[in-house]
C-alpha cells in the first residue's frame, strides 16, 4: 500500500461512516473472550532494536531503480533475501530483487543487491503499466520463498476501478520461478474478489500480506483493510476487522479469522486533504505455532506521519468467519493480540512507511532476528530503510 500523501495513483477516500463498528474491532489488546476465562498466555513476544541501514535513494541497479520495496523474505536455500518492488511497471517492469543483508546482534552491517528479475505473465511477457488499459497490470506487494521448492510466491492487490470505463484488476497470489517466470496461482477465497458493487475488497486495501506456516503446508494471507460488507474503516473512535485466511497449498480454505485493526491514533492537523490511512501490510507466521503470527500495522496521519506497530497474535479461540458474509455489527471472537513494539519507541533514526518483514538469522543465544523494510514509493521525502529487531 502506498500512503495517501505520496500515492502516485488515485487513492480512495476513507469511509468514515456513522454506522456502528463491529464488536470484533473493540477488543484489540488481548482482552478475555466475552463471558469466558482469561485468555491463555500463548502470545507476548518482546522486541529490541539491533540496528538499521538506509539504502541510497533511487539507487540504480542493473538498469532499474531500487525502491518501492513493500515485501521481503529470507531465502532458506541461500540465506540471502528477496524483496519485491511495488513499481507498477511505471519506471521499469514490475520486479523483485535479491540481496545479501548482514545482520547479527550488533546490527545491520551491509545491504548488497545481487540480482533483479521482472515478474512475468503466463505468456512470458512482462507486466504492462496501468496506463496500457488492457487489464493486465499488477500491483506487487509481498513475496515469500516457498520453503519446499524455494520458488517465489508473490501477492498483488489489483485495483478497484474508479469508473465503469476502467478494467477491474483482481488481486492474486502467484507462483514464480527464481527467474520471475510464471508458474501458477493460488485460488483466493470468494470474498477477496473486487466487485462492481458494495461487496468485497476496498480499493487499495486488498492482498498485501502473505506468509508460509506449518512447515510450508499452509499459506496465510491478510487483506489490508476491512471488506466493504464488514463495516467502515478505522476512525478515531473505533478500529475495524481485517480478514486473515489460512489456505492449503492447493487453495482449500482451512479457516478465516477477524484480526482487530487499531483505531486511528490521532487526528490530522489539516495540512493535507488526504484522510488518515491505515492497514495491515505484512503478516509473518510463528515458526513453531501455525496459528500464531506477527502482524504489522502501518498508519499515516497528516501532520503526525507514520505510526508502525508490531503485534503478536493468534487464531486460537477466534471465530472462524469463512462462511459469514458480513461481520458488521456481529459479536464474534476476533484474533487476540498483544503489542510487541511501537517503532517510534525503539530509537530509530526515523519511522517511515514500513511494509515488509521476515525472520532473519537466529542469534547464538537463541534470540530470533526480525528484518523489516520500508517502501519509499520513490518519493524524495521517504527512505528505503532496513531495520533489524531482536525478538524474544
Amino acid at each position: 500500500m502506498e500512503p495517501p500523501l505520496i500515492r502516485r495513483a488515485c487513492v480512495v477516500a476513507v469511509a468514515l461512516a456513522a454506522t456502528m463498528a463491529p464488536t470484533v474491532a473493540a477488543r484489540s489488546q488481548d482482552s478475555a473472550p466475552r463471558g469466558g476465562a482469561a485468555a491463555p498466555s500463548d502470545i507476548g513476544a518482546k522486541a529490541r532494536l539491533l540496528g538499521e541501514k538506509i539504502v541510497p535513494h533511487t539507487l540504480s541497479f542493473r538498469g532499474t531503480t531500487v525502491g518501492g520495496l513493500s515485501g521481503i523474505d529470507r531465502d532458506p536455500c541461500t540465506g540471502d533475501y528477496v524483496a519485491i518492488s511495488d513499481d507498477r511497471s511505471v519506471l521499469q517492469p514490475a520486479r523483485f530483487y535479491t540481496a545479501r543483508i548482514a545482520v547479527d546482534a550488533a546490527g545491520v552491517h551491509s545491504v548488497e543487491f545481487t540480482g533483479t528479475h521482472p515478474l512475468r505473465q503466463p505468456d512470458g511477457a512482462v507486466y504492462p503499466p496501468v496506463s496500457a488499459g488492457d487489464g493486465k497490470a499488477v500491483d506487487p506487494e509481498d513475496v515469500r520463498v516457498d520453503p519446499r521448492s524455494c520458488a517465489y510466491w508473490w501477492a498483488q492487490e489489483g485495483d478497484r476501478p474508479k469508473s465503469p470505463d476502467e478494467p477491474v484488476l483482481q488481486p492474486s497470489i502467484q507462483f514464480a520461478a527464481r527467474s520471475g517466470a510464471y508458474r501458477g496461482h493460488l485460488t483466493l477465497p470468494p470474498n477477496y474478489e473486487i466487485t462492481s458493487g458494495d461487496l468485497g475488497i476496498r480499493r487499495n486495501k486488498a492482498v498485501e500480506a502473505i506468509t508460509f506456516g506449518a512447515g510450508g503446508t499452509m499459506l496465510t494471507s491478510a487483506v489490508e483493510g476491512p471488506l466493504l460488507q464488514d463495516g467502515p474503516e478505522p476512525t478515531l473512535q473505533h478500529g475495524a476487522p481485517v480478514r486473515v485466511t489460512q489456505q492449503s497449498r492447493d487453495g482449500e480454505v482451512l479457516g478465516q479469522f477477524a484480526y482487530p485493526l487499531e483505531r486511528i491514533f490521532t487526528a490530522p492537523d489539516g495540512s493535507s486533504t488526504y484522510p488518515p490511512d491505515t492497514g495491515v501490510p505484512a503478516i509473518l507466521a510463528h515458526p513453531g505455532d501455525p496459528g500464531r503470527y506477527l502482524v504489522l500495522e502501518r498508519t499515516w496521519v497528516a501532520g503526525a506521519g507514520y505510526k508502525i506497530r508490531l503485534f503478536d497474535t493468534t487464531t486460537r479461540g477466534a471465530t472462524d468467519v469463512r462462511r459469514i458474509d458480513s461481520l458488521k455489527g456481529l459479536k464474534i471472537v476476533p484474533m487476540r493480540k498483544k503489542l510487541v513494539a511501537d517503532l517510534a519507541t525503539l530509537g530509530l533514526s526515523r519511522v517511515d512507511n514500513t511494509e515488509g518483514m521476515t525472520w532473519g538469522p537466529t542469534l547464538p543465544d537463541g534470540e530470533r532476528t526480525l528484518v523489516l523494510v520500508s517502501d519509499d514509493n520513490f518519493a524524495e521525502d521517504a527512505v528505503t530503510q532496513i531495520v533489524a529487531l531482536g525478538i524474544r
Side-chain angles (χ1 to χ4, degrees), residues 23-363:
T23 304
V24 66
R27 294 173 48 244
S28 63
Q29 294 292 336
D30 196 42
S31 58
R34 292 177 183 271
S41 57
D42 51 359
I43 55 175
K46 305 296 182 184
R48 66 187 181 97
L49 178 65
L50 300 178
E52 63 177 303
K53 186 72 69 175
I54 303 295
V55 175
H57 186 61
T58 62
L59 173 70
S60 178
F61 178 77
R62 297 187 183 178
T64 71
T65 306
V66 177
L69 302 185
S70 57
I72 190 170
D73 202 24
R74 190 168 188 241
D75 189 336
C77 291
T78 65
D80 292 342
Y81 295 79
V82 58
I84 198 166
S85 173
D86 69 0
D87 180 0
R88 303 180 69 181
S89 297
V90 174
L91 298 178
Q92 295 95 32
R95 61 198 176 277
F96 63 87
Y97 295 90
T98 54
R100 294 191 185 98
I101 304 175
V103 175
D104 60 23
V108 183
H109 301 286
S110 63
V111 178
E112 176 190 0
F113 291 94
T114 58
T116 185
H117 294 279
L119 296 160
R120 296 190 179 274
Q121 301 181 64
D123 65 0
V126 298
Y127 285 95
V130 175
S131 60
D134 58 4
K136 296 181 178 180
V138 290
D139 185 3
E141 293 292 351
D142 205 0
V143 63
R144 294 296 176 193
V145 183
D146 188 335
R148 292 187 165 187
S149 68
C150 288
Y152 299 139
W153 292 41
W154 61 282
Q156 65 89 24
E157 65 176 356
D159 194 22
R160 176 182 285 270
K162 296 175 294 179
S163 72
D165 299 332
E166 298 176 349
V168 173
L169 305 179
Q170 293 293 348
S172 64
I173 297 174
Q174 300 186 29
F175 325 139
R178 295 171 75 84
S179 64
Y182 178 87
R183 289 292 182 265
H185 70 277
L186 185 75
T187 300
L188 296 179
N191 54 17
Y192 276 23
E193 184 178 355
I194 294 174
T195 72
S196 59
D198 56 358
L199 298 175
I201 299 285
R202 281 180 158 87
R203 190 166 190 269
N204 197 33
K205 297 290 184 179
V207 185
E208 280 226 13
I210 60 174
T211 184
F212 277 106
T217 63
M218 185 169 69
L219 192 284
T220 299
S221 61
V223 290
E224 189 177 5
L227 302 183
L228 287 167
Q229 65 267 31
D230 287 341
E233 294 190 83
T235 68
L236 288 168
Q237 290 73 39
H238 64 76
V242 169
R243 297 207 186 209
V244 172
T245 305
Q246 298 172 333
Q247 292 181 263
S248 66
R249 295 173 65 91
D250 62 5
E252 178 188 1
V253 175
L254 306 174
Q256 189 176 82
F257 308 93
Y259 172 82
L261 188 63
E262 295 292 296
R263 62 188 179 183
I264 302 297
F265 67 95
T266 192
D269 66 355
S271 62
S272 172
T273 58
Y274 290 110
D277 190 20
T278 191
V280 173
I283 186 171
L284 187 61
H286 188 281
D289 184 344
R292 185 180 177 188
Y293 303 91
L294 291 181
V295 172
L296 198 65
E297 293 193 29
R298 166 214 158 280
T299 305
W300 175 86
V301 176
Y306 290 100
K307 179 175 281 292
I308 309 294
R309 286 171 286 192
L310 182 66
F311 291 91
D312 192 358
T313 184
T314 180
T315 61
R316 186 174 293 123
T319 303
D320 189 336
V321 299
R322 71 180 107 170
R323 295 182 179 89
I324 299 177
D325 293 333
S326 173
L327 303 180
K328 189 175 180 180
L330 292 185
K331 295 181 179 180
I332 64 171
V333 179
M335 295 169 64
R336 290 180 291 110
K337 61 190 280 192
K338 283 185 177 180
L339 181 67
V340 176
D342 181 334
L343 266 60
T345 68
L346 297 180
L348 290 165
S349 61
R350 62 184 290 171
V351 176
D352 215 292
N353 183 32
T354 306
E355 290 200 350
M357 65 177 174
T358 180
W359 294 114
T362 301
L363 300 180

